[in-house]
Amino acid sequence: MSNEKILIVGAGRMAQAIIKGLKKADFTNVMVANKGNQERLEEVESRFNVDSTTQWQEHVSDQDIVILAMPPEAHEQVLSELAPVMTNQLIITVAAGIDVSYLEKRLPEGTAVAWVMPNTAAAKGESITLFTPGKNVSDEQEYFIEKILFSIGKFKKLNEQQLHALTPITGSAPAFIYRMALTLINKAKETGVSEVVAKQLVAQMIRGSAEMLNSELKCTADLIDEVASPGGVTAAALSVFDQYQFDQMMNDVLTACYERAKQ
Ligand SMILES: NC(=O)C1=CN([C@@H]2O[C@H](COP(=O)(O)OP(=O)(O)OC[C@H]3O[C@@H](n4cnc5c(N)ncnc54)[C@H](O)[C@@H]3O)[C@@H](O)[C@H]2O)C=CC1
Ligand SMILES: O=C(O)[C@@H]1CCC=N1
């Protein structure tokens, strides 16, 4: 059981994925707030058995940790409301582009802050979460951060610049994988298999590929080679990737992500 008191501001998709992990890991003191959308707040409260509030500012002084899970654009306003009511809490944001320098600049001198970049697999305890602690984070607070991140999957401590550059690759890229999965599922359905079966086939193919990717014995290029029998069907397919300049497209995809987060 974990007794740290955690307030989560924002009750959207990422917040819910984190709450799911926290509850599974037996964090007992979780409170959640949202702007507007009272219905969503009530649903989160009953679904995850957490407390909720519409006036989070009144509860900050009772907390150990505040997790900001609202859109990046809402941070300016929320931080200006948070600063005057803080009493030594650790402040964590999960927002794309909102780094520790941004938080430290807007919160009282000496505030412990961290920037965390999870992904939605947090809901299954399978996120790969990147994090950067700010300069005022104590060893005990860093332990709290790791405990929270452990509840939603694996994690890695990196610097601020690395988090900016890797947000597209670990935060957003699940959507790229699902986009490809959607095409494969739809194609599989054309053969007459049901949606459920098509999803199972594709999910297991991705799970197996992820396991292979994790193997330390082979480099990724070798894995591609291994599938592509010389002169075979996969080689024919991969030449279409080249024809459509897949690598260039992926570079553009990642750059678009990075640039948007910087805005
Ligand atoms: N969805 C994802 O895969 C990931 C999202 N993130 C970050 O998580 C944050 C939330 O994203 P999502 O959950 O996808 O969006 P969402 O739209 O599902 O949820 C955002 C929630 O914040 C609430 N909100 C907006 N302004 C607020 C305010 N001033 N005070 C309190 N609540 C407020 C909204 O009502 C909404 O419930 C973003 O900063 C995003 O960059 C980070 C990593 C992955
Ligand atoms: O799309 C977004 O802005 C968020 C950040 C990373 C993944 N989802």
CSV table of all heavy atoms in Angstrom, one decimal, residues 72 94-96 117-118 167 171-173 257 260, ligand 2:
chain,number,residue,atom,x,y,z
A,72,PRO,N,-1.0,21.1,-22.7
A,72,PRO,CA,0.1,22.0,-22.5
A,72,PRO,C,-0.4,23.4,-22.4
A,72,PRO,O,0.1,24.2,-21.5
A,72,PRO,CB,1.0,21.8,-23.7
A,72,PRO,CG,0.7,20.4,-24.2
A,72,PRO,CD,-0.8,20.2,-23.8
A,94,VAL,N,2.9,15.9,-17.1
A,94,VAL,CA,3.0,14.8,-18.2
A,94,VAL,C,2.9,15.5,-19.6
A,94,VAL,O,2.8,14.8,-20.6
A,94,VAL,CB,2.0,13.7,-18.0
A,94,VAL,CG1,2.1,13.0,-16.7
A,94,VAL,CG2,0.6,14.2,-18.3
A,95,ALA,N,2.8,16.8,-19.6
A,95,ALA,CA,2.5,17.5,-20.9
A,95,ALA,C,3.6,17.6,-21.8
A,95,ALA,O,4.8,17.9,-21.5
A,95,ALA,CB,2.0,18.9,-20.6
A,96,ALA,N,3.3,17.3,-23.1
A,96,ALA,CA,4.3,17.4,-24.2
A,96,ALA,C,4.9,18.9,-24.2
A,96,ALA,O,4.1,19.8,-24.2
A,96,ALA,CB,3.7,17.1,-25.5
A,117,MET,N,7.1,11.8,-19.3
A,117,MET,CA,6.5,11.6,-20.6
A,117,MET,C,6.1,10.1,-20.7
A,117,MET,O,6.9,9.2,-21.1
A,117,MET,CB,7.4,12.0,-21.8
A,117,MET,CG,6.8,11.8,-23.2
A,117,MET,SD,5.2,12.5,-23.4
A,117,MET,CE,5.3,14.2,-22.9
A,118,PRO,N,4.8,9.8,-20.3
A,118,PRO,CA,4.4,8.4,-20.4
A,118,PRO,C,3.7,8.1,-21.8
A,118,PRO,O,3.8,9.0,-22.7
A,118,PRO,CB,3.3,8.3,-19.3
A,118,PRO,CG,2.8,9.7,-19.3
A,118,PRO,CD,3.8,10.7,-19.9
A,167,THR,N,9.9,12.5,-27.2
A,167,THR,CA,8.4,12.6,-27.0
A,167,THR,C,7.7,11.9,-28.2
A,167,THR,O,6.8,11.1,-28.1
A,167,THR,CB,7.9,14.0,-26.8
A,167,THR,OG1,8.4,14.4,-25.5
A,167,THR,CG2,6.4,14.1,-26.8
A,171,GLY,N,6.1,8.8,-26.7
A,171,GLY,CA,4.8,9.3,-26.4
A,171,GLY,C,3.8,9.2,-27.5
A,171,GLY,O,2.7,8.7,-27.3
A,172,SER,N,4.2,9.6,-28.7
A,172,SER,CA,3.2,9.6,-29.8
A,172,SER,C,3.2,8.4,-30.7
A,172,SER,O,2.2,8.0,-31.2
A,172,SER,CB,3.6,10.8,-30.7
A,172,SER,OG,3.4,12.0,-30.0
A,173,ALA,N,4.4,7.7,-30.7
A,173,ALA,CA,4.5,6.6,-31.7
A,173,ALA,C,3.5,5.5,-31.5
A,173,ALA,O,3.2,4.8,-32.5
A,173,ALA,CB,6.0,6.1,-31.8
A,257,CYS,N,5.9,16.3,-35.1
A,257,CYS,CA,5.6,16.0,-33.7
A,257,CYS,C,6.4,16.9,-32.8
A,257,CYS,O,5.9,17.6,-31.9
A,257,CYS,CB,5.9,14.6,-33.4
A,257,CYS,SG,4.8,13.7,-32.4
A,260,ARG,N,5.6,20.7,-33.1
A,260,ARG,CA,4.3,21.0,-32.4
A,260,ARG,C,4.5,21.1,-30.9
A,260,ARG,O,3.9,22.0,-30.3
A,260,ARG,CB,3.2,19.9,-32.8
A,260,ARG,CG,1.9,20.1,-32.1
A,260,ARG,CD,1.1,21.3,-32.5
A,260,ARG,NE,-0.1,21.5,-31.8
A,260,ARG,CZ,-0.2,22.4,-30.8
A,260,ARG,NH1,0.8,23.1,-30.4
A,260,ARG,NH2,-1.3,22.5,-30.1
B,2,LIG,O1,-0.6,14.1,-28.9
B,2,LIG,C1,-0.2,14.6,-27.9
B,2,LIG,O2,0.0,15.8,-27.8
B,2,LIG,C2,0.2,13.8,-26.7
B,2,LIG,C3,1.6,13.9,-26.3
B,2,LIG,C4,2.3,12.7,-26.6
B,2,LIG,C5,1.2,11.8,-27.0
B,2,LIG,N1,0.1,12.4,-27.0
